[in-house]
Amino acid sequence: MKSLLEVEALGRTFGSGKRTLQAVKGVTFSLAPGEIVAVVGESGSGKSTLARLILRLLSPTQGQMRLEGRDVFRIPLRAYWRMVQAVFQDPYSSFNQFYSVRRLLQKSLGLLGPLSSQEREARIRTALQSVGLEPEGILGKYPHQLSGGQRQRVMIARAIMLRPRLLITDEPTSALDASLRATVLNLLKDLRQEQGTSIIFITHDIGQAYYLSDRILVMHQGEVVEEGPVERVVEQSQHPYTKRLLSDVPRFHG
Ligand SMILES: Nc1ncnc2c1ncn2[C@@H]1O[C@H](COP(=O)(O)OP(=O)(O)OP(=O)(O)O)[C@@H](O)[C@H]1O
Ligand SMILES: [Mg+2]
């Protein structure tokens, strides 16, 4: 199958001299259309840095990327962000606190170019409803007036409203309680099912990765140390580091 995204020997170094830190080292993988790949690894293993590189929020110090066969760095940023969207761990920091939810979502829709006001309103309402938010109650609110779970769901609505080809989610459920967590995971599954969206799902929770993804990449100190179909990685993990991650999840013991 033709790849949606190809990442080749991608790397990012921070600092210089003795203080150099290679946050991401030689990461290579590809993602098929409609595929869900989980990126797991403990805190500091480079997951968010990898996400920021793929999103072009950060420049790589090594490597290449292609989206639908095109060199990513030759695609204008706005066009790129129409195709590649993200949901972050901490939605509060990604909001402009002076924007109401309506204004925030309208701003994001601006990426799609001119749309009629009816179409904008319809897209916004549909996206909010799909994440279980009642548009009337939420459109006029400001970020500080929302709960953590509501903020996270507004971020998800914002991303899926643009109908990206690739969605990168970085710990999208960390601010949510158990039932909302399940809602969000199922929403991501539906998104792939209904729109063929590819997803890079970043988590430290290998249980969630198992539930949602087709394939898992395990990161350790900036490198991908294990990669494979989800069952193989979970049931016959090769790398000692993966075994350790799995042993933290009660249901995978023994
Ligand atoms: N802008 C930066 N400047 C310097 N170092 C950075 C920067 N961003 C990340 N790092 C370092 O890169 C390493 C990887 O960080 P990253 O945020 O990618 O980890 P992570 O796997 O997402 O961790 P977590 O699970 O805690 O979110 C860490 O050692 C971090 O301190
Ligand atoms: Mg992170």
Side-chain angles (χ1 to χ4, degrees), residues 14 21 23 41-50 52 89 171:
F14 290 114
L21 172 81
E42 68 194 357
S43 184
S45 57
K47 305 180 299 295
S48 295
T49 305
L50 178 64
R52 293 172 64 214
Q89 190 164 13
E171 307 276 5

Side-chain angles (χ1 to χ4, degrees), residues 6-240:
E6 291 159 276
V7 172
E8 210 178 292
L10 197 67
R12 171 69 199 208
T13 304
F14 290 114
S16 59
K18 275 201 175 128
R19 295 247 187 93
T20 300
L21 172 81
Q22 265 222 289
V24 171
K25 291 180 218 170
V27 169
T28 298
F29 69 96
S30 64
L31 185 69
E35 190 179 25
I36 303 184
V37 169
V39 178
V40 303
E42 68 194 357
S43 184
S45 57
K47 305 180 299 295
S48 295
T49 305
L50 178 64
R52 293 172 64 214
L53 290 171
I54 297 171
L55 281 161
R56 296 174 66 190
L57 297 174
L58 194 66
S59 306
T61 40
Q62 295 93 30
Q64 289 165 20
M65 291 190 279
R66 278 183 295 279
L67 187 75
E68 294 179 331
R70 294 165 72 192
D71 179 349
V72 156
F73 298 99
R74 290 174 184 268
I75 303 173
L77 266 183
R78 283 174 67 87
Y80 189 69
W81 288 336
R82 280 198 291 273
M83 297 184 278
V84 182
Q85 275 290 316
V87 176
F88 289 107
Q89 190 164 13
D90 172 15
Y92 204 64
S93 64
S94 12
F95 273 122
N96 181 327
Q97 51 180 321
F98 301 111
Y99 283 1
S100 65
V101 170
R102 174 181 270 113
R103 177 118 183 261
L104 171 100
L105 295 176
Q106 283 178 344
K107 276 262 174 198
S108 295
L109 271 185
L111 270 178
L112 298 182
L115 293 175
S116 72
S117 58
Q118 287 99 317
E119 171 149 21
R120 274 204 312 219
E121 192 71 14
R123 279 241 199 167
I124 287 173
R125 283 171 184 271
T126 309
L128 288 172
Q129 279 158 353
S130 73
V131 296
L133 293 172
E134 183 47 56
E136 287 319 321
I138 208 127
L139 279 168
K141 292 209 164 139
Y142 288 82
H144 70 272
Q145 299 173 315
L146 304 175
S147 73
Q150 287 172 330
R151 275 200 293 270
Q152 189 61 289
R153 285 184 287 161
V154 170
M155 283 309 283
I156 295 169
R158 191 193 61 82
I160 66 181
M161 179 184 73
L162 299 171
R163 300 191 191 137
R165 306 290 315 276
L166 169 60
L167 182 66
I168 302 178
T169 66
D170 190 349
E171 307 276 5
T173 65
S174 55
L176 307 178
D177 65 28
S179 86
L180 277 177
R181 198 171 296 155
T183 305
V184 165
L185 293 182
N186 289 324
L187 183 80
L188 295 176
K189 271 197 166 172
D190 292 348
L191 193 66
R192 180 260 287 275
Q193 191 65 36
E194 288 159 19
Q195 295 183 23
T197 314
S198 301
I199 301 173
I200 297 179
F201 180 76
I202 295 174
T203 182
H204 58 262
D205 182 341
I206 208 161
Q208 285 190 17
Y210 185 75
Y211 176 72
L212 190 67
S213 66
D214 305 308
R215 211 145 48 90
I216 296 189
L217 305 183
V218 180
M219 286 189 77
H220 182 51
Q221 297 182 355
E223 288 179 279
V224 173
V225 293
E226 185 152 9
E227 178 194 348
V230 65
E231 286 82 11
R232 213 219 70 220
V233 171
V234 168
E235 283 152 25
Q236 318 159 32
S237 62
Q238 308 288 317
H239 201 277

